[in-house]
Amino acid sequence: MINARVIVTLKNGVLDPQGKAIEGALAGLGFDGISGARQGKVFDLKLDTDDHEKARADAAAMCEKLLANMVIEDYTVELS
Amino acid sequence: MINARVIVTLKNGVLDPQGKAIEGALAGLGFDGISGARQGKVFDLKLDTDDHEKARADAAAMCEKLLANMVIEDYTVELS
């Protein structure tokens, strides 16, 4: 069993209105000194394998087919 | 300038229908051997400070006030 954490974030330069809203909301709550906020997604997957190479390749394939929109998003995979 | 990455995940035991849907969709795409999928959120914040202690405390306060629902979610803060 391998736990894979996949983090999907918007590519640099892609407009992130949700992040902007969060930045504004944090400023409204009194948190000043925030010069940027971007929101992304995290997926925690339990993979029934003990082969790290296979787990990494599978997670990358899952990102490219379903979890990430490769036009506007990047992903990283961490195994543990 | 400190970059803070905040990861917000559902607490163990909290039902995650979105994660279940992802697990089903991945199985439908032919990825077998997935025994669990949970979805969470990631926030990348740029903080205008060089004080790591302050940055960590600020990020934790942001989570407790806005970014996470402490009843059902946990958060972790990574600084870089």
Side-chain angles (χ1 to χ4, degrees):
Chain A
M1 174 82 71
I2 290 176
N3 291 310
R5 167 160 281 183
V6 173
I7 294 180
V8 175
T9 51
L10 285 172
K11 287 184 199 282
N12 285 335
V14 176
L15 197 67
D16 180 7
Q18 199 169 7
K20 280 284 165 204
I22 290 164
E23 200 178 328
L26 287 172
L29 285 173
F31 294 104
D32 43 9
I34 299 171
S35 58
R38 312 266 292 167
Q39 184 170 359
K41 287 171 282 188
V42 58
F43 303 96
D44 288 319
L45 306 171
K46 284 186 203 296
L47 306 176
D48 296 335
T49 175
D50 291 318
D51 178 345
H52 277 247
E53 284 307 305
K54 180 179 186 309
R56 189 172 293 279
D58 278 356
M62 289 174 206
C63 288
E64 304 201 0
K65 285 198 182 163
L66 180 74
L67 302 179
N69 175 350
M70 298 305 299
V71 178
I72 57 169
E73 291 173 327
D74 286 325
Y75 66 86
T76 58
V77 176
E78 297 162 19
L79 303 181
S80 63
Chain B
M1 174 80 72
I2 291 176
N3 292 310
R5 167 160 280 183
V6 173
I7 294 180
V8 175
T9 50
L10 285 172
K11 287 185 200 281
N12 284 334
V14 176
L15 198 68
D16 180 7
Q18 200 170 7
K20 280 284 166 202
I22 290 164
E23 201 178 327
L26 287 171
L29 285 171
F31 294 104
D32 43 10
I34 298 171
S35 57
R38 310 268 290 168
Q39 184 170 359
K41 289 171 281 189
V42 57
F43 302 95
D44 288 319
L45 306 171
K46 285 185 203 295
L47 306 176
D48 297 334
T49 175
D50 291 318
D51 178 345
H52 277 248
E53 285 306 305
K54 179 178 185 310
R56 190 172 292 279
D58 279 357
M62 290 174 206
C63 287
E64 303 201 1
K65 286 198 179 162
L66 181 74
L67 301 179
N69 175 350
M70 298 305 298
V71 178
I72 56 168
E73 292 173 327
D74 286 324
Y75 65 86
T76 57
V77 176
E78 298 162 19
L79 303 181
S80 63

